[in-house]
Amino acid sequence: MKAWVTGFWKSRSPRERTVAAVLAAAVIAVLYLWLLHSADRARARLNATVTALRAQAARLELQAVEFERLRARPQATVSTTDLRTLVQAQAGAAGLSRALTRIDSPDAGQVQVVLGAVAFVDWLDWVAALESQQVRLAACRIEALAQPGMVNVTATLVRAKPQ
């Protein structure tokens, strides 16, 4: 095989050999430049991915710190008071008893409340106060009234499950 290639090469004129060598050098140069370009594009994509992964790692680290802080926090005691009584007491403490138009208790762990014409800020404060008593909002429908900041609220509240 080597003899055939050598014979084929030597049978060509010096001009043909020069043209073939120049073309081979040009093809090699183009392939090398294409390889460099591909490597540069891949490096740029990887740099973008590394940046996104670093941001995710930083968020994950913050979440891990928050998780450990929450885990170290003493367990909140769940009130043994009847949920309906607790919700009514919290509404009275928040000054929402006059807006509380209906309160139903389909079962011991769930209460449905209807509030008419209540300030949205007061509603949010009341929900936050209930959350501190381990009562969470399971479902809610809020309708804006014509008066700015006032809403009608229909909500289902449930007792938080112990961990």
Side-chain angles (χ1 to χ4, degrees), residues 33 61 73 112 132 137 159:
L33 289 175
E61 189 64 34
R73 190 175 73 183
Q112 294 171 340
S132 71
L137 188 61
R159 191 175 297 277

Side-chain angles (χ1 to χ4, degrees), residues 60-143:
L60 185 60
E61 189 64 34
L62 289 174
Q63 289 172 350
V65 168
E66 178 67 10
F67 179 75
E68 288 302 320
R69 185 187 68 78
L70 289 173
R71 179 179 270 174
R73 190 175 73 183
Q75 289 288 332
T77 57
V78 178
S79 173
T80 57
T81 309
D82 176 48
L83 185 57
R84 180 182 176 138
T85 308
L86 177 65
V87 168
Q88 283 179 328
Q90 287 294 321
L96 299 178
S97 6
R98 71 182 203 313
L100 189 61
T101 57
R102 191 176 87 220
I103 182 165
D104 297 326
S105 184
D107 60 50
Q110 181 177 342
V111 172
Q112 294 171 340
V113 295
V114 177
L115 295 163
V118 63
F120 186 67
V121 173
D122 293 341
W123 159 250
L124 291 177
D125 291 341
W126 185 57
V127 169
L130 286 171
E131 285 177 356
S132 71
Q133 295 293 319
Q134 303 303 307
V135 175
R136 67 179 181 84
L137 188 61
C140 181
R141 190 184 84 217
I142 300 174
E143 298 172 353

